[in-house]
């Protein structure tokens, strides 16, 4: 990713302009050629630097009020296999292997879940628990009580 | 602002374009053709969704750690100081998500920097300024198959 790619990414994080030719509008703003801008976006998508180009729904505004960070202590030997399974569950929006901080933080698998009601969230948690089985000894769920800042680069 | 009543078009725009948003000269025209409506209808429906903040934006989603380096981080702050500490942290331009969560580690944020040195410097600076240790949870492996999120239209509020 070079300086022009970075410039493009910086200027698309707030969203593409809602104009008839949004890539043309953006290219003009950045002093780039439209074809070059589109080719660069395509190349970044092909290489996986851009995951997808999306109209990104605001889950909270659409009624998903129970957004929990579920964290699990999964045995190291099984985390790769089980992480793949959890990442494929339809209600999981992110699933990551992250380091433990023993003794206070034994959890190494992080999965973000989204639900509209508390019972629905509880069902999701039970489903993850079932998939993990004996490989998981303990877990907890951290609900967000307040969004304090959400700006800049988005990978969600 | 009056609440938008979601039409079938709104719902399809919300659900069906979480990936493969067209990378073509007239993307809203391409969407219009797919949905059998006019380009201006698509554009005005997306504008409504955007104004009502039902879509947060239309644009590319970056894979983590592909622009600079980043880490999830957390800090345990007494409730009485939470707001002050949260404000201190949010002031750093390198912080882009900052959530209060129900746990002893109650402040969770993402730090993004150009390189590891800058990342370490930001963490050190936050620790010095707030007086609390920052725990870092950098990504070791990403299991998520990122295809968007199938929306459920029951009880849309």
């Amino acid at each position: 990713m070079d300086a022009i790619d970075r410039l493009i990414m910086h200027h698309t994080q707030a969203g593409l302009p809602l104009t008839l030719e949004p890539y043309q509008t953006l290219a003009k703003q950045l002093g780039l050629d439209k074809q070059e801008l589109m080719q660069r976006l395509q190349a970044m998508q092909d290489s996986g630097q851009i995951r997808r180009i999306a109209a990104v729904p605001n889950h909270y505004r659409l009624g998903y009020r129970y957004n929990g960070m579920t964290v699990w202590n999964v045995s190291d030997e099984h985390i790769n296999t089980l992480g793949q399974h959890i990442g494929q569950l339809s209600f999981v929006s992110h699933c990551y292997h992250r380091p433990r901080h023993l003794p206070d933080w034994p959890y190494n698998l992080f999965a973000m879940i989204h639900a509209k009601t508390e019972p629905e969230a509880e069902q999701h948690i039970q489903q993850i628990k079932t998939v993990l089985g004996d490989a998981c000894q303990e877990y907890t769920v951290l609900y967000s009580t307040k969004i304090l800042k959400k700006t800049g680069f988005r990978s969600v | 602002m009056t609440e938008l009543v979601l039409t079938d078009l709104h719902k399809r725009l919300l659900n069906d374009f979480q990936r493969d948003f067209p990378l073509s000269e007239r993307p809203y025209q391409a969407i219009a053709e797919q949905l059998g409506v006019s380009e201006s209808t698509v554009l005005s429906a997306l504008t409504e969704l955007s104004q009502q903040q039902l879509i947060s934006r239309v644009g590319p989603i970056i894979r983590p750690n592909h622009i600079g380096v980043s880490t999830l981080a957390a800090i345990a702050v007494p409730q009485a100081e939470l707001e002050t500490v949260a404000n201190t942290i949010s002031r750093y331009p390198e912080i882009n998500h900052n959530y209060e969560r129900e746990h002893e580690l109650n402040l969770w944020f993402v730090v993004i920097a150009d390189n590891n040195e800058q990342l370490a410097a930001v963490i050190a600076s936050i620790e010095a300024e707030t007086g609390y240790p920052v725990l870092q949870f950098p990504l070791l492996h990403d299991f998520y198959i990122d295809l968007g999120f199938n929306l459920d239209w029951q009880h849309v509020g």
Side-chain angles (χ1 to χ4, degrees):
Chain A
M1 195 174 274
D2 66 11
I4 296 174
D5 286 341
R6 280 165 181 261
L7 180 76
I8 293 169
M9 294 316 295
H10 269 288
H11 285 269
T12 51
Q13 291 309 294
L16 289 169
L18 287 161
T19 58
L20 288 177
E21 297 188 43
Y23 300 110
Q24 168 65 35
T25 309
L26 180 64
K28 209 171 162 187
Q29 283 167 8
L30 302 183
L32 296 171
D33 175 68
K34 175 182 66 183
Q35 291 307 332
E36 186 190 355
L37 171 77
M38 291 173 66
Q39 278 161 11
R40 282 175 174 272
L41 284 170
Q42 187 63 54
M44 284 190 275
Q45 215 174 351
D46 294 343
S47 69
Q49 292 167 313
I50 291 176
R51 274 181 154 163
R52 54 196 169 104
I53 302 179
V56 185
N58 180 345
H59 293 120
Y60 191 82
R61 285 276 289 140
L62 287 164
Y64 291 84
R65 300 289 156 98
Y66 292 83
N67 302 301
M69 184 170 80
T70 70
V71 293
W72 310 79
N73 179 0
V74 179
S75 68
D76 291 332
E77 55 172 328
H78 294 117
I79 193 162
N80 283 331
T81 318
L82 291 169
Q84 301 283 357
H85 286 295
I86 304 301
Q88 284 172 29
L89 296 172
S90 64
F91 51 80
V92 169
S93 72
H94 298 76
C95 184
Y96 298 127
H97 180 193
R98 297 186 186 276
R100 298 183 179 94
H101 286 279
L102 296 172
D104 298 332
W105 188 267
Y107 313 107
N108 58 345
L109 185 71
F110 289 55
M112 289 296 310
I113 61 157
H114 303 274
K116 290 186 174 178
T117 63
E118 205 171 351
E120 195 192 339
E122 192 49 44
Q123 255 178 25
H124 293 342
I125 293 160
Q126 289 307 318
Q127 200 175 332
I128 296 179
K129 205 172 158 184
T130 306
V131 174
L132 295 178
D134 294 341
C136 171
Q137 298 306 317
E138 55 194 319
Y139 74 97
T140 190
V141 180
L142 286 74
Y143 284 106
S144 58
T145 36
K146 212 176 190 179
I147 299 175
L148 302 159
K149 184 177 183 183
K150 197 173 182 182
T151 56
F153 279 118
R154 325 259 174 102
S155 51
V156 291
Chain B
M1 200 175 350
T2 52
E3 200 71 15
L4 184 68
V5 177
L6 293 180
T7 62
D8 284 345
L9 176 64
H10 288 128
K11 291 178 184 177
R12 290 203 64 184
L13 289 172
L14 283 163
N15 197 62
D16 298 356
F17 297 93
Q18 298 179 62
R19 54 184 302 213
D20 299 332
F21 179 86
L23 186 47
S24 58
E25 290 188 19
R26 305 268 294 259
Y28 305 113
Q29 175 64 30
I31 290 173
E33 279 166 25
Q34 229 173 302
L35 299 180
V37 295
S38 74
E39 184 182 29
S40 61
T41 308
V42 167
L43 204 47
S44 57
L46 277 173
T47 306
E48 284 165 358
L49 292 173
S50 177
Q51 280 168 352
Q52 297 272 338
Q53 297 177 311
L54 291 166
I55 48 173
S56 47
R57 68 195 178 104
V58 174
I61 293 171
I62 302 170
R63 256 175 82 187
N65 294 320
H66 273 69
I67 293 190
V69 292
S70 66
T71 188
L72 177 68
I75 194 166
V77 187
Q79 201 60 35
E81 292 173 49
L82 190 77
E83 203 177 323
T84 315
V85 172
N87 288 337
T88 302
I89 292 173
S90 288
R91 271 200 297 274
Y92 285 80
E94 292 88 355
I95 304 299
N96 81 341
H97 286 63
N98 191 3
Y99 285 89
E100 181 187 342
R101 292 191 181 278
E102 294 168 341
H103 191 268
E104 195 192 329
L105 284 170
N106 50 356
L107 207 51
W108 290 78
F109 49 95
V110 175
V111 191
I112 297 188
D114 288 338
N115 52 53
N116 286 322
E117 291 71 33
Q118 193 196 343
L119 190 76
V122 170
I123 302 268
S125 168
I126 288 173
E127 287 183 325
E129 207 179 332
T130 63
Y132 294 105
V134 173
L135 287 190
Q136 293 182 57
F137 299 91
L139 195 157
L140 301 176
H141 191 85
D142 180 358
F143 297 115
Y144 182 46
I145 322 294
D146 189 2
L147 302 176
F149 191 81
N150 200 23
L151 295 169
D152 153 29
W153 298 111
Q154 281 182 344
H155 354 269
V156 169

